[in-house]
Amino acid sequence: MDDPTIVRTFSDRGEAEIARSLLEAEGIGAAIAADDTRGNWPQFDLSAGVQLVVEAGDVERARELLDEVVSEDDLDAAELESEDPIA
């Protein structure tokens, strides 16, 4: 990314990954920035959250998509599904 810009900060890596996938499905490149050793040792979470980053030119559209589609209930349901895809 040439001009990465934080589009949203999440308290949970799983939620950030779901939002990243949503943006990428809509053609917006996105990345996760977090100081949590990629989730390997969550007890060492030194960050102020998990940041979702996009190109500066995509910020407005990314925010619109996230505001439109991503609710806490949707994120919780997707997270449960990813933890137990058979249920």
Side-chain angles (χ1 to χ4, degrees):
M1 271 185 212
D2 293 328
D3 192 10
T5 303
I6 298 167
V7 69
R8 186 156 296 167
T9 301
F10 295 87
S11 60
D12 174 291
R13 178 177 278 278
E15 291 177 358
E17 291 288 354
I18 292 166
R20 180 190 57 79
S21 294
L22 167 80
L23 294 179
E24 289 184 345
E26 293 294 326
I28 297 174
I32 301 293
D35 189 13
D36 67 351
T37 65
R38 297 201 49 81
N40 292 323
W41 293 309
Q43 68 272 22
F44 293 115
D45 182 8
L46 304 174
S47 69
V50 181
Q51 298 168 334
L52 182 61
V53 180
V54 300
E55 287 284 348
D58 292 328
V59 169
E60 187 175 326
R61 178 74 178 126
R63 285 187 178 143
E64 287 174 2
L65 286 167
L66 293 173
D67 289 344
E68 178 181 302
V69 178
V70 180
S71 71
E72 282 297 315
D73 291 338
D74 292 338
L75 289 172
D76 290 342
E79 187 171 11
L80 286 174
E81 184 179 312
S82 70
E83 291 172 358
D84 189 15
I86 297 173

